[in-house]
Amino acid sequence: MARSVTTQRKSFNTLIAWIIGLLLFFPILWTILTSFKTEAQAIADPPVWFFFDWTLENYRVVQERSNYSRFLWNSIIIAGGSTILGMIIAIPAAWSMAFVPSRRTKDILLWMLSTKMLPAVGVLYPIYLIFIQFGLLDTRVGLTIVLMLINLPIMIWMLYTYFKEIPGEILEAARMDGAGLKEEILYVLTPMAIPGIASTILLNIILAWNEAFWTLNLTAARAAPLTAFIASYSSPEGLFYAKLSAASTMAIAPILILGWFSQKQLVRGLTFGAVK
Protein backbone atom coordinates (compact mmCIF):
# COMPACT_ATOMS: atom_id res chain seq x y z
CA MET A 1 0.00 0.00 0.00
CA ALA A 2 1.40 3.37 -1.05
CA ARG A 3 2.30 5.74 1.75
CA SER A 4 0.32 9.00 1.68
CA VAL A 5 2.24 12.27 1.58
CA THR A 6 0.87 15.19 3.55
CA THR A 7 0.43 18.67 2.10
CA GLN A 8 3.01 20.04 4.54
CA ARG A 9 5.51 17.44 3.38
CA LYS A 10 4.91 18.32 -0.27
CA SER A 11 5.31 22.03 0.49
CA PHE A 12 8.54 21.40 2.39
CA ASN A 13 9.97 19.26 -0.43
CA THR A 14 8.99 21.91 -2.98
CA LEU A 15 10.65 24.64 -0.91
CA ILE A 16 13.87 22.63 -0.58
CA ALA A 17 13.86 21.91 -4.33
CA TRP A 18 13.46 25.63 -5.13
CA ILE A 19 16.27 26.59 -2.74
CA ILE A 20 18.65 24.03 -4.27
CA GLY A 21 17.62 25.09 -7.78
CA LEU A 22 18.22 28.78 -7.05
CA LEU A 23 21.62 28.04 -5.48
CA LEU A 24 22.66 26.08 -8.56
CA PHE A 25 21.36 28.75 -10.93
CA PHE A 26 22.80 31.73 -9.02
CA PRO A 27 26.27 31.72 -10.71
CA ILE A 28 24.59 31.80 -14.13
CA LEU A 29 22.23 34.57 -13.02
CA TRP A 30 25.12 36.61 -11.60
CA THR A 31 27.09 36.18 -14.85
CA ILE A 32 24.13 37.40 -16.91
CA LEU A 33 23.57 40.41 -14.64
CA THR A 34 27.27 41.32 -14.67
CA SER A 35 27.30 41.29 -18.46
CA PHE A 36 24.96 44.33 -18.44
CA LYS A 37 27.10 46.34 -15.99
CA THR A 38 29.99 48.69 -16.54
CA GLU A 39 33.44 47.49 -15.53
CA ALA A 40 33.32 49.72 -12.42
CA GLN A 41 29.96 48.29 -11.35
CA ALA A 42 31.15 44.75 -12.03
CA ILE A 43 33.90 45.03 -9.40
CA ALA A 44 32.02 47.28 -6.98
CA ASP A 45 32.20 46.44 -3.28
CA PRO A 46 29.60 45.90 -1.93
CA PRO A 47 28.26 44.29 -5.09
CA VAL A 48 25.58 46.00 -7.15
CA TRP A 49 22.56 43.76 -7.66
CA PHE A 50 19.68 44.94 -9.82
CA PHE A 51 19.82 48.71 -9.47
CA PHE A 52 22.56 49.73 -11.88
CA ASP A 53 22.91 51.39 -15.27
CA TRP A 54 22.01 48.59 -17.69
CA THR A 55 24.13 48.70 -20.83
CA LEU A 56 24.76 46.63 -23.96
CA GLU A 57 28.22 48.10 -24.43
CA ASN A 58 29.96 44.90 -23.32
CA TYR A 59 28.16 42.85 -25.97
CA ARG A 60 29.05 45.42 -28.65
CA VAL A 61 32.73 45.33 -27.67
CA VAL A 62 32.78 41.53 -27.58
CA GLN A 63 31.16 41.29 -31.00
CA GLU A 64 33.60 43.82 -32.48
CA ARG A 65 36.63 42.14 -30.95
CA SER A 66 35.75 38.53 -31.77
CA ASN A 67 33.95 36.70 -34.55
CA TYR A 68 31.32 35.10 -32.33
CA SER A 69 29.54 33.30 -35.18
CA ARG A 70 32.72 31.42 -36.13
CA PHE A 71 33.24 30.15 -32.58
CA LEU A 72 29.55 29.24 -32.35
CA TRP A 73 29.66 27.31 -35.61
CA ASN A 74 32.75 25.40 -34.46
CA SER A 75 30.98 24.44 -31.21
CA ILE A 76 27.90 23.24 -33.09
CA ILE A 77 29.95 21.10 -35.49
CA ILE A 78 32.20 19.64 -32.78
CA ALA A 79 29.43 18.93 -30.24
CA GLY A 80 27.00 17.63 -32.86
CA GLY A 81 29.62 15.61 -34.73
CA SER A 82 31.01 13.95 -31.61
CA THR A 83 27.47 13.06 -30.52
CA ILE A 84 26.48 11.51 -33.86
CA LEU A 85 29.74 9.58 -34.15
CA GLY A 86 29.47 8.42 -30.54
CA MET A 87 25.88 7.18 -30.97
CA ILE A 88 26.88 5.18 -34.06
CA ILE A 89 29.40 3.31 -31.90
CA ALA A 90 27.55 3.33 -28.56
CA ILE A 91 24.20 1.86 -29.68
CA PRO A 92 25.64 -1.42 -31.10
CA ALA A 93 28.07 -1.67 -28.18
CA ALA A 94 25.32 -1.22 -25.58
CA TRP A 95 23.07 -3.66 -27.47
CA SER A 96 25.74 -6.39 -27.43
CA MET A 97 26.35 -5.94 -23.70
CA ALA A 98 22.66 -5.87 -22.84
CA PHE A 99 21.43 -8.79 -24.94
CA VAL A 100 24.44 -11.01 -25.64
CA PRO A 101 25.20 -12.90 -22.40
CA SER A 102 28.79 -12.71 -21.20
CA ARG A 103 30.48 -13.08 -17.84
CA ARG A 104 32.81 -10.24 -18.77
CA THR A 105 30.14 -7.60 -19.42
CA LYS A 106 30.38 -5.98 -15.99
CA ASP A 107 34.18 -6.05 -16.11
CA ILE A 108 34.16 -4.33 -19.49
CA LEU A 109 31.70 -1.69 -18.29
CA LEU A 110 33.79 -1.01 -15.19
CA TRP A 111 36.94 -0.80 -17.31
CA MET A 112 35.30 1.73 -19.64
CA LEU A 113 34.11 3.80 -16.69
CA SER A 114 37.58 3.69 -15.13
CA THR A 115 38.97 5.54 -18.16
CA LYS A 116 36.97 8.59 -17.00
CA MET A 117 38.91 8.53 -13.71
CA LEU A 118 42.23 9.13 -15.47
CA PRO A 119 43.27 12.80 -15.34
CA ALA A 120 43.08 14.22 -18.85
CA VAL A 121 46.48 15.85 -18.50
CA GLY A 122 47.98 12.37 -18.12
CA VAL A 123 47.35 11.58 -21.79
CA LEU A 124 47.66 15.09 -23.20
CA TYR A 125 51.25 14.71 -24.38
CA PRO A 126 50.82 11.50 -26.44
CA ILE A 127 47.54 12.73 -27.94
CA TYR A 128 49.18 16.05 -28.79
CA LEU A 129 51.99 14.23 -30.60
CA ILE A 130 49.50 12.03 -32.45
CA PHE A 131 47.58 15.11 -33.56
CA ILE A 132 50.77 16.71 -34.90
CA GLN A 133 51.76 13.49 -36.68
CA PHE A 134 48.41 13.14 -38.47
CA GLY A 135 47.77 16.83 -39.05
CA LEU A 136 44.75 16.96 -36.72
CA LEU A 137 45.95 19.82 -34.54
CA ASP A 138 43.55 22.78 -34.59
CA THR A 139 40.99 20.91 -36.72
CA ARG A 140 37.31 20.20 -36.15
CA VAL A 141 37.81 16.55 -37.10
CA GLY A 142 40.45 16.05 -34.42
CA LEU A 143 38.37 17.65 -31.68
CA THR A 144 35.28 15.72 -32.76
CA ILE A 145 37.15 12.43 -32.42
CA VAL A 146 38.67 13.32 -29.04
CA LEU A 147 35.38 14.51 -27.51
CA MET A 148 33.61 11.44 -28.84
CA LEU A 149 36.17 9.15 -27.22
CA ILE A 150 36.15 10.85 -23.81
CA ASN A 151 32.33 10.78 -23.64
CA LEU A 152 31.86 7.33 -25.19
CA PRO A 153 32.01 5.40 -21.85
CA ILE A 154 29.18 7.52 -20.42
CA MET A 155 27.11 7.06 -23.58
CA ILE A 156 27.53 3.28 -23.52
CA TRP A 157 26.75 3.09 -19.80
CA MET A 158 23.55 5.11 -20.18
CA LEU A 159 22.35 3.20 -23.23
CA TYR A 160 23.18 -0.12 -21.58
CA THR A 161 21.00 0.85 -18.61
CA TYR A 162 18.09 1.79 -20.88
CA PHE A 163 18.42 -1.30 -23.08
CA LYS A 164 18.38 -3.60 -20.04
CA GLU A 165 14.87 -2.31 -19.26
CA ILE A 166 13.57 -3.62 -22.60
CA PRO A 167 12.27 -7.22 -22.40
CA GLY A 168 14.49 -9.59 -24.35
CA GLU A 169 11.40 -11.52 -25.46
CA ILE A 170 10.51 -8.66 -27.81
CA LEU A 171 13.80 -9.00 -29.63
CA GLU A 172 13.45 -12.78 -29.75
CA ALA A 173 10.02 -12.37 -31.35
CA ALA A 174 11.55 -10.03 -33.94
CA ARG A 175 14.22 -12.63 -34.73
CA MET A 176 11.55 -15.30 -35.17
CA ASP A 177 9.84 -13.01 -37.67
CA GLY A 178 13.03 -12.88 -39.69
CA ALA A 179 14.62 -9.66 -38.46
CA GLY A 180 18.37 -9.51 -38.88
CA LEU A 181 20.81 -7.71 -36.61
CA LYS A 182 20.45 -4.44 -38.50
CA GLU A 183 16.64 -4.53 -38.48
CA GLU A 184 16.59 -5.57 -34.83
CA ILE A 185 18.63 -2.55 -33.76
CA LEU A 186 17.10 0.02 -36.13
CA TYR A 187 13.42 -0.95 -36.14
CA VAL A 188 12.84 -2.70 -32.81
CA LEU A 189 15.38 -1.68 -30.18
CA THR A 190 15.98 1.96 -31.11
CA PRO A 191 12.30 3.07 -31.26
CA MET A 192 11.59 1.47 -27.88
CA ALA A 193 14.53 3.27 -26.26
CA ILE A 194 13.85 6.71 -27.77
CA PRO A 195 13.60 8.48 -24.35
CA GLY A 196 16.89 7.01 -23.19
CA ILE A 197 18.62 7.70 -26.51
CA ALA A 198 17.34 11.29 -26.51
CA SER A 199 18.60 11.96 -22.98
CA THR A 200 21.98 10.41 -23.87
CA ILE A 201 22.25 12.67 -26.93
CA LEU A 202 21.32 15.77 -24.95
CA LEU A 203 23.76 14.98 -22.14
CA ASN A 204 26.59 14.32 -24.59
CA ILE A 205 25.92 17.59 -26.42
CA ILE A 206 26.10 19.46 -23.10
CA LEU A 207 29.33 17.71 -22.09
CA ALA A 208 30.95 18.33 -25.48
CA TRP A 209 29.76 21.95 -25.56
CA ASN A 210 31.26 22.69 -22.13
CA GLU A 211 34.53 20.80 -22.62
CA ALA A 212 37.41 23.22 -22.07
CA PHE A 213 40.58 21.23 -21.38
CA TRP A 214 40.92 19.57 -24.77
CA THR A 215 39.57 22.48 -26.79
CA LEU A 216 42.07 24.89 -25.23
CA ASN A 217 45.05 22.54 -25.67
CA LEU A 218 44.32 21.15 -29.14
CA THR A 219 43.16 24.30 -30.92
CA ALA A 220 44.62 27.68 -31.70
CA ALA A 221 42.33 29.64 -34.00
CA ARG A 222 40.69 27.78 -36.89
CA ALA A 223 38.73 25.16 -34.92
CA ALA A 224 38.41 27.05 -31.63
CA PRO A 225 34.91 26.65 -30.09
CA LEU A 226 33.13 28.87 -27.60
CA THR A 227 35.22 27.67 -24.64
CA ALA A 228 38.26 29.19 -26.34
CA PHE A 229 36.17 32.27 -27.08
CA ILE A 230 35.61 32.75 -23.34
CA ALA A 231 39.26 32.07 -22.48
CA SER A 232 40.40 34.78 -24.90
CA TYR A 233 39.03 37.40 -22.48
CA SER A 234 41.65 36.54 -19.86
CA SER A 235 44.56 38.86 -20.64
CA PRO A 236 47.91 39.74 -18.99
CA GLU A 237 46.44 43.13 -18.13
CA GLY A 238 43.85 41.44 -15.93
CA LEU A 239 40.26 40.29 -16.13
CA PHE A 240 37.59 42.59 -17.50
CA TYR A 241 34.71 41.04 -15.61
CA ALA A 242 31.85 42.74 -17.45
CA LYS A 243 33.18 41.82 -20.89
CA LEU A 244 34.12 38.32 -19.71
CA SER A 245 30.57 37.90 -18.40
CA ALA A 246 29.15 39.07 -21.72
CA ALA A 247 31.31 36.55 -23.59
CA SER A 248 30.29 33.80 -21.16
CA THR A 249 26.60 34.66 -21.54
CA MET A 250 26.88 34.51 -25.33
CA ALA A 251 28.63 31.13 -25.04
CA ILE A 252 26.15 29.49 -22.66
CA ALA A 253 22.99 31.00 -24.16
CA PRO A 254 22.54 28.35 -26.92
CA ILE A 255 22.95 25.41 -24.54
CA LEU A 256 20.67 27.04 -21.95
CA ILE A 257 17.95 27.48 -24.57
CA LEU A 258 18.40 23.88 -25.74
CA GLY A 259 18.21 22.60 -22.16
CA TRP A 260 15.13 24.68 -21.41
CA PHE A 261 13.12 23.40 -24.38
CA SER A 262 14.28 19.79 -23.97
CA GLN A 263 14.06 19.52 -20.17
CA LYS A 264 10.97 17.29 -20.23
CA GLN A 265 12.61 14.88 -22.64
CA LEU A 266 15.83 14.93 -20.64
CA VAL A 267 14.09 14.18 -17.34
CA ARG A 268 11.95 11.51 -18.96
CA GLY A 269 15.02 9.81 -20.38
CA LEU A 270 17.06 10.04 -17.18
CA THR A 271 14.19 8.47 -15.19
CA PHE A 272 13.43 5.86 -17.89
CA GLY A 273 12.89 2.52 -16.17
CA ALA A 274 13.23 3.99 -12.68
CA VAL A 275 9.60 3.22 -11.78
CA LYS A 276 8.23 -0.24 -12.39
Side-chain angles (χ1 to χ4, degrees), residues 76-91:
I76 292 174
I77 292 178
I78 293 169
S82 65
T83 300
I84 294 173
L85 184 60
M87 293 302 294
I88 293 175
I89 299 174
I91 289 178

Side-chain angles (χ1 to χ4, degrees), residues 106-197:
K106 291 184 178 180
D107 295 334
I108 295 173
L109 287 170
L110 288 174
W111 170 76
M112 287 192 301
L113 191 61
S114 69
T115 61
K116 296 292 295 180
M117 303 175 189
L118 175 69
V121 69
V123 293
L124 173 61
Y125 187 65
I127 290 180
Y128 191 86
L129 293 179
I130 291 173
F131 267 50
I132 294 177
Q133 182 70 27
F134 290 94
L136 295 174
L137 197 64
D138 198 18
T139 63
R140 296 169 181 167
V141 173
L143 275 181
T144 298
I145 294 174
V146 166
L147 296 188
M148 180 274 294
L149 291 174
I150 65 174
N151 291 327
L152 188 61
I154 295 178
M155 298 173 72
I156 294 177
W157 259 91
M158 290 183 66
L159 291 174
Y160 170 79
T161 303
Y162 300 136
F163 289 171
K164 287 294 288 184
E165 298 296 328
I166 298 175
E169 292 78 7
I170 296 178
L171 300 182
E172 293 177 3
R175 294 170 193 152
M176 293 179 63
D177 289 338
L181 177 59
K182 178 181 176 181
E183 291 77 15
E184 179 182 331
I185 294 177
L186 288 180
Y187 303 117
V188 181
L189 181 66
T190 302
M192 295 186 66
I194 284 294
I197 292 175

Side-chain angles (χ1 to χ4, degrees), residues 206-227:
I206 294 172
L207 292 174
W209 191 279
N210 295 329
E211 176 60 40
F213 179 83
W214 293 107
T215 56
L216 293 178
N217 285 285
L218 298 179
T219 60
R222 290 180 302 168
L226 287 171
T227 47

Side-chain angles (χ1 to χ4, degrees), residues 39-56:
E39 290 295 344
Q41 292 170 337
I43 60 174
D45 188 19
V48 181
W49 291 89
F50 297 98
F51 304 102
F52 56 85
D53 299 325
W54 293 68
T55 177
L56 294 175

